[in-house]
Amino acid sequence: MQASADEALILDAWQANAQAWEQAVREGRIESRKLVTDQAIVDAVLAHTPRTVIDVGCGEGWLARALAAAGVKVIGVDVVPALIESASSKSGGDFRVLSYEDMATGALAERADVVVCNFSLLGRESVDGLLAAMPELLEPNGTLIIQTLHPLLAAEPYVDGWREGSWVGCGTGFSQAAPWYFRTLGSWVSALERAGLSLRCIKEPIHPHTGRPASVIFMAGSNQGNGDEQASRRSISRHRT
Ligand SMILES: C[S@@+](CC[C@H](N)C(=O)[O-])C[C@H]1O[C@@H](n2cnc3c(N)ncnc32)[C@H](O)[C@@H]1O
């Protein structure tokens, strides 16, 4: 099946390029991150004054470290063991090797005030499955925050579909690029709704040099609201039984 083959290629590419990615982030090679999107996601998360955060697809852990430095208790998860090792060695925080498929089947037993996905929702079925599990990962009144490529910047046509990836702008040392699944703005909103989440806010951080959006940030909450007693009994520091 084509879609599953693409999902597998995403995982292969991140396994193969973990070291190059770590270097690109460490050296601040990606201009839009340095100028706009890093601060935008830190601000978006901290604006919710979370006590606890789950950083999904955390990579080498820069965001988890920034949030921990602000006093937030963070769990970082990623499918690539080398990235999780790197994240753990830099901060000794709570980092775990888990795929979105694992999380969709309840492998992460904690909840958090904010679940953040910074440029880490790349696939189709893997992302839909993860989103469906989100009400189980958010505390009552918790917030899911997703930063992703702004649909304005993606190649035409403006319809959902798999696109070829590229490492342009990330520097050297990369091998095969991962495909990624493009979603229109409307399709992102539908995906959130299908997962039992309500969109609360969209932000479009602007690139100071181009005047165009550098990304889009979605903030959504669980439709369960605060009537979910089961949820209120669990927290990031307690495991489900
Ligand atoms: C563009 S990087 C972003 C990393 C980090 N959030 C950051 O801001 O630097 C995408 C990350 O998503 C992770 N990822 C992609 N698909 C995944 C999956 N199915 N399960 C777990 N992690 C995944 C990759 O391993 C990679 O670390």
Side-chain angles (χ1 to χ4, degrees):
M1 207 166 59
Q2 185 58 29
S4 298
D6 283 322
E7 294 282 352
L9 286 174
I10 294 175
L11 301 188
D12 290 350
W14 282 99
Q15 300 280 1
N17 291 289
Q19 207 183 342
W21 176 256
E22 191 193 335
Q23 211 168 337
V25 174
R26 194 174 54 228
E27 293 174 2
R29 288 189 203 156
I30 305 170
E31 189 194 43
S32 58
R33 288 190 157 224
K34 265 196 309 188
L35 291 177
V36 196
T37 64
D38 282 0
Q39 195 60 49
I41 194 69
V42 170
D43 291 348
V45 173
L46 293 182
H48 290 80
T49 56
R51 202 177 48 86
T52 53
V53 168
I54 299 171
D55 182 0
V56 173
C58 64
E60 54 68 62
W62 77 268
L63 178 56
R65 287 191 296 281
L67 296 173
V72 182
K73 184 168 184 186
V74 187
I75 295 176
V77 301
D78 202 283
V79 71
V80 177
L83 290 173
I84 289 295
E85 264 170 46
S86 163
S88 301
S89 69
K90 282 182 196 129
S91 78
D94 189 348
F95 293 99
R96 307 183 193 176
V97 177
L98 284 175
S99 71
Y100 302 161
E101 292 79 353
D102 296 332
M103 294 174 77
T105 54
L108 187 63
E110 287 86 352
R111 291 180 186 259
D113 299 324
V114 168
V115 175
V116 63
C117 308
N118 191 48
F119 294 108
S120 55
L121 299 188
L122 309 173
R124 183 183 184 182
E125 294 91 342
S126 61
V127 170
D128 289 337
L130 174 72
L131 292 177
M134 212 43 76
E136 289 294 307
L137 295 169
L138 289 170
E139 294 282 10
N141 295 319
T143 305
L144 168 66
I145 303 181
I146 299 170
Q147 177 159 240
T148 190
L149 187 76
H150 196 290
L152 252 189
L153 300 182
E156 308 235 341
Y158 192 69
V159 289
D160 287 13
W162 286 96
R163 304 284 163 87
E164 270 179 37
S166 154
W167 298 109
V168 169
C170 297
T172 55
F174 289 89
S175 57
Q176 88 260 27
W180 60 284
Y181 191 74
F182 171 77
R183 295 171 199 252
T184 64
L185 276 181
S187 173
W188 272 112
V189 175
S190 303
L192 293 171
E193 277 171 2
R194 275 199 308 278
L197 300 160
S198 298
L199 186 64
R200 292 182 185 150
C201 175
I202 292 186
K203 288 194 182 296
E204 295 167 290
I206 300 296
H207 194 295
H209 296 169
T210 65
R212 291 165 69 80
S215 66
V216 59
I217 298 178
F218 301 103
M219 301 186 207
S222 167
N223 291 334
Q224 285 173 336
N226 43 15
D228 185 346
E229 282 179 23
Q230 257 199 323
S232 65
R233 280 190 263 112
R234 299 176 188 137
S235 76
I236 200 167
S237 53
R238 290 181 55 194
H239 290 250
R240 284 183 206 137
T241 50

